[in-house]
Amino acid sequence: MRVARFSLEGNVGFGVLDTDQDRDEPVLDVVRGHPFGGVERSGRHIPLKAVRLLPPVLPNKVVAVGRNYAEHARELGNEVPETPVIFLKPSTSVVGPDDPVPYPSFSREVHHEAELAVVIGRMCREVPPSRAAEVILGYTCANDITARDIQRSEEQWTRAKGFDGSCPLGPWVETEITPERAADLAIMCTVNGEQRQLGRTDEMVRGIPELIAHITEAMTLLPGDVILTGTPAGVGPLEIGDEVAVTIEGIGTLTNKVVKRD
């Protein structure tokens, strides 16, 4: 089930994507309330093309994992860390599908990082790996856009990773991917149609259950919080005017355009 968050005529809601082949075009079956704690369909259908897709969730926090793919760590001259490298991206960094990504004025080297994002479905803490699946609502595409020059020059990654628009999410949350399937999905990034990154989630140094356990030892996760699980090798520069797309097998494609910051 693909759960999208959308805006229509000033109203915001959730809907389940319906691509029944008997229909001429995809529609959203509007959800009563929100998808946390169960999805209740209303039976009211809206054409997908009639709405604006928003970030599929509004996370209280985005918890990201650095250097979780060995080849990516090596391409930047780093070793795989002995313990997961965890950092936070603020809620103000989150944008949705087709939203513009403003190029930060303080950077001259901004990179794309295609990532599988885990969406948390209920409040949780101290989750053992064996129970990680119980707290997952689903998965979506993410782009951990990074000011690489700032990341190199500052010990903390807050500015490099947390600027406005640096966390595109979408286009929806896929709820029917099992943890076993999530552990082996193709992930790709293109810039202006040219492939930049291509990997699989089975290349992660640490899998999703281990990451959830590690993170929830330290902090409580809330419904709608997002975990970014790391990026495969092939990261590279973005320029103003570029169209960057993240595609993950079984989920969909998240596309954004880089623009000059106002």
Side-chain angles (χ1 to χ4, degrees):
M1 181 167 54
R2 292 176 170 176
V3 182
R5 182 170 162 268
F6 68 90
S7 172
L8 178 65
E9 298 176 349
N11 297 310
V12 175
F14 290 92
V16 175
L17 185 66
D18 185 346
T19 56
D20 192 319
Q21 293 185 355
D22 292 336
R23 298 184 183 277
D24 293 333
E25 59 188 20
V27 300
L28 289 174
D29 188 345
V30 177
V31 169
R32 291 190 176 94
H34 57 71
F36 305 105
V39 173
E40 183 183 357
R41 302 189 189 207
S42 69
R44 177 190 172 206
H45 294 97
I46 300 174
L48 181 62
K49 67 179 183 181
V51 307
R52 175 191 170 200
L53 289 180
L54 303 174
V57 289
L58 283 179
N60 174 270
K61 53 187 171 294
V62 177
V63 187
V65 183
R67 301 169 187 167
N68 198 34
Y69 287 71
E71 288 299 318
H72 168 61
R74 283 192 281 270
E75 75 178 344
L76 296 181
N78 300 306
E79 298 294 329
V80 175
E82 292 185 5
T83 58
V85 174
I86 303 297
F87 59 94
L88 297 175
K89 294 172 79 83
S91 59
T92 48
S93 70
V94 174
V95 293
D98 298 318
D99 283 345
V101 172
Y103 199 107
S105 58
F106 56 85
S107 174
R108 296 296 178 268
E109 187 184 357
V110 172
H111 283 195
H112 55 80
E113 294 192 6
E115 309 206 7
L116 175 67
V118 182
V119 180
I120 297 300
R122 64 178 178 85
M123 186 171 69
C124 59
R125 64 183 178 90
E126 297 184 352
V127 180
S130 61
R131 300 190 63 183
E134 299 175 21
V135 305
I136 297 172
L137 174 66
Y139 303 87
T140 192
C141 305
N143 197 343
D144 177 21
I145 298 178
T146 302
R148 193 72 69 199
D149 51 348
I150 305 303
Q151 185 184 25
R152 285 194 296 262
S153 64
E154 299 182 0
E155 290 187 9
Q156 295 288 335
W157 295 358
T158 304
R159 289 209 312 155
K161 296 278 195 176
F163 56 88
D164 290 353
S166 65
C167 189
L169 296 174
W172 38 65
V173 178
E174 173 58 69
T175 67
E176 295 183 4
I177 293 177
T178 65
E180 293 77 18
R181 184 75 180 107
D184 188 19
L185 297 173
I187 179 169
M188 179 176 68
C189 179
T190 63
V191 178
N192 302 325
E194 176 187 351
Q195 181 182 299
R196 293 279 191 85
Q197 293 179 268
L198 182 63
R200 299 194 71 85
T201 56
D202 66 353
E203 300 166 19
M204 288 184 193
V205 176
R206 296 174 181 87
I208 292 166
E210 182 179 353
L211 294 177
I212 290 175
H214 182 78
I215 292 165
T216 60
E217 283 180 339
M219 66 186 75
T220 298
L221 296 179
L222 302 177
D225 281 351
V226 170
I227 297 173
L228 305 188
T229 57
T231 192
V235 300
L238 293 170
E239 304 294 342
I240 292 172
D242 283 346
E243 184 176 85
V244 56
V246 175
T247 300
I248 300 181
E249 180 183 3
I251 299 176
T253 298
L254 166 69
T255 304
N256 299 91
K257 189 169 184 178
V258 183
V259 301
K260 184 177 180 180
R261 184 171 182 174
D262 293 334

